Amino acid sequence: MATYKKGILGPFLGSVGPLVGVNYRGKDVMRTKPKKTTKPPTPAQLLQRAKFALAMQFLNPAKELLNTYYGTPEGSQSRYNLAVSYHLSEVLFLVGDTWEIRYDQAMYAKGSLLPAENLQCTVAATNTLQLTWNNNAAQAGCKPTDQLMVVVFEPEAKEYAFFMKVASRSEAEVSLTLSPQWSEKNVHVYGFMAAENGKVN
């Protein structure tokens, strides 16, 4: 694989004979077509493919959120790339020959802004979640206007609900109504604070 700047033909996408032109992490890259193989994948290769497929299935619906709130891009690594890397190493674990998700380790935002202190979630009524937290707006770097973001994941249907800017840090409580189809379902709830301008750093 080689990178190149504007040459005699300039950058191209797609294939020309045995060469393939792609844009990889912001760079124009030229490489040869991969050789076809009839060799079956090894068990280890199949296991890695299954791990990556599960990570994509879990994170892709939240890609826009992760690209906005997860950490700071590092070189050619996007926020989403960083989130995928974290979940592959810290959230997915092997049970026998099956990958599982540690839902309590999943993370949808990463930054320096302090979280909602002592965030608690209870079922207030049918399809209604009640979230409470301590108003820690007086702490360094916090503001009363910081906004609570909430992510809810229903693992059976593999569906998300995103509640953006549902309450300020100083309000210290909020009620959220879930989809009726989630009635009697177990859900995983995640909350983080973002500044009023949408930043978490």
Side-chain angles (χ1 to χ4, degrees), residues 6-7 11 74 81 89 105 113 133 161 164 188 192:
K6 289 185 178 180
E74 299 176 4
N81 293 148
S89 63
Q105 296 296 312
L113 193 63
W133 59 94
M164 301 292 95
H188 300 277
F192 64 92

Side-chain angles (χ1 to χ4, degrees), residues 108-138:
Y108 295 90
K110 186 178 181 182
S112 58
L113 193 63
L114 289 179
E117 186 177 83
N118 193 31
L119 181 63
Q120 302 288 327
C121 179
T122 57
V123 179
T126 303
N127 302 326
T128 302
L129 300 178
Q130 181 72 24
L131 280 77
T132 60
W133 59 94
N134 297 337
N135 176 12
N136 59 340

